[in-house]
Amino acid sequence: MTADVLPALTARARGAAHPADTTCAHSDAVLADRQDGTVVRHGDTVAKAHAPGTAPGELAARVAVAGNPALAGVLLPPLRPAPADLHGRLVTFWPYGSPVDPEVPEAAPWEAAATLLARLHRAPAPDGLPPMRGPAKAARAIARLRAAGPHPAADPVLRAWAGLPPWARAEAPMPPEPGTLCHGDLHLGQLVRRPATTGPWLLIDVDDLGLGVPAWDLARPAAWYACGLLPPDEWTRFLTAYQRAGGPAVPADGDPWPALDVPARALTVQTAALAIAKSVAAGRPLDEVQQAVVDACDRMAAVPPELARGFAK
């Protein structure tokens, strides 16, 4: 985020909260400042500057889905129906919701996340919605890994990437057409309570929302489970809640891995690629968790997808 955009974005958040007075600085906070977007809060209003180059029409279509009354209680609705422009960056406005507390992992709302996903996946997909961006994000992670330069852990990650089908590498359309309404980047950081602290959980962040393979939305917790980073009971809670809510990504009973294997592999590769790129940029070795994800890529590269169940744990 450039230095001139952050103050301007904060001013926009204040203006959305107090249209008659944009000078009040009470409760200003930067919630995130990353390559893919910057988020600031003023009181009960949140403003997000989306990544440079975001397609206006695609973002407008995604924001419209969040504001669709048919998805009330699933997606956090925007405060304004369309993105605004700020120094060439698209900005959207949202009500504030309290996030999942990372310091209390035993209270993680796995059942709520799974139920919201099932409801999203069962919703009719609107016309004109772009593809879900999950595979494109994985491909960008690989590009970032390659740009980072040589690293001894890169080879198994790239081999695992090469073993994925073209659609999972964003090199071909996702099957089947026309696809299911998907979030595209599901993790616990994508849930908030609204009203804050007391309200129900809702899904946020529509940047990657679109039509695609619904199993992709289950892939991150599936990958964590397969890598040994998510306890089996938490994975079971998540999967069971999704099945009970009628989610279409996996069978209601029986083995879920034929549907989950490719997306989970792709998310594992994405996570490992980003971990290596960040470690190179910071000049530090991989930590234990990051190495576990790289080790999972090594196992994946040795086992064909058609023979794998949970990365051949």
Side-chain angles (χ1 to χ4, degrees):
M1 170 64 70
T2 58
D4 59 329
V5 173
L6 185 54
L9 182 63
T10 302
R12 286 290 185 92
R14 296 175 195 161
H18 311 289
D21 178 12
T22 62
T23 63
C24 176
H26 180 65
S27 298
D28 287 343
V30 178
L31 302 183
D33 190 4
R34 302 185 301 268
Q35 291 182 338
D36 59 347
T38 295
V39 184
V40 301
R41 175 191 176 190
H42 177 80
D44 200 42
T45 298
V46 172
K48 178 173 183 177
H50 297 261
T54 298
E58 293 188 358
L59 181 59
R62 291 176 165 119
V63 172
V65 172
N68 189 330
L71 287 164
V74 177
L75 293 168
L76 182 73
L79 292 174
R80 297 184 180 179
D85 179 80
L86 178 66
H87 302 327
R89 299 280 292 273
L90 293 175
V91 176
T92 53
F93 300 91
W94 307 86
Y96 176 74
S98 52
V100 175
D101 187 349
E103 300 301 321
V104 191
E106 64 274 11
W110 289 112
E111 290 87 353
T115 301
L116 290 170
L117 276 186
R119 292 177 60 190
L120 181 70
H121 293 165
R122 296 199 320 264
D127 295 333
L129 194 63
M132 174 264 290
R133 296 202 310 166
K137 291 191 73 169
R140 286 201 302 273
I142 290 296
R144 186 172 170 183
L145 169 64
R146 288 174 169 147
H151 191 282
D155 285 348
V157 177
L158 294 173
R159 288 198 306 271
W161 177 252
L164 295 170
W167 72 263
R169 302 195 305 263
E171 296 172 0
M174 284 175 281
E177 297 291 351
T180 299
L181 182 58
C182 301
H183 182 274
D185 188 29
L186 189 281
H187 52 80
L188 291 179
Q190 306 288 36
L191 282 88
V192 298
R193 284 189 183 275
R194 175 70 188 178
T197 72
T198 61
W201 291 105
L202 297 169
L203 295 172
I204 63 169
D205 190 356
V206 298
D207 288 59
D208 303 307
L209 182 142
L211 302 179
V213 178
W216 198 280
D217 285 344
L218 282 69
R220 198 181 303 268
W224 290 346
Y225 165 70
C227 294
L229 302 176
L230 183 67
D233 62 328
E234 295 186 25
W235 165 244
T236 299
R237 285 167 50 201
F238 175 79
L239 179 63
T240 301
Y242 181 84
Q243 292 170 316
R244 287 177 176 170
V250 296
D253 51 32
D255 187 0
W257 281 100
L260 293 175
D261 185 70
V262 167
R265 285 170 175 253
L267 262 295
T268 303
V269 171
Q270 175 182 321
T271 303
L274 291 176
I276 295 170
K278 291 176 181 178
S279 75
V280 171
R284 56 167 174 73
L286 297 172
D287 62 29
E288 184 178 355
V289 170
Q290 293 169 332
Q291 187 62 53
V293 180
V294 172
D295 291 344
C297 289
D298 203 14
R299 297 196 301 273
M300 286 159 48
V303 180
E306 62 271 17
L307 299 180
R309 289 295 182 269
F311 305 166
K313 287 177 68 179

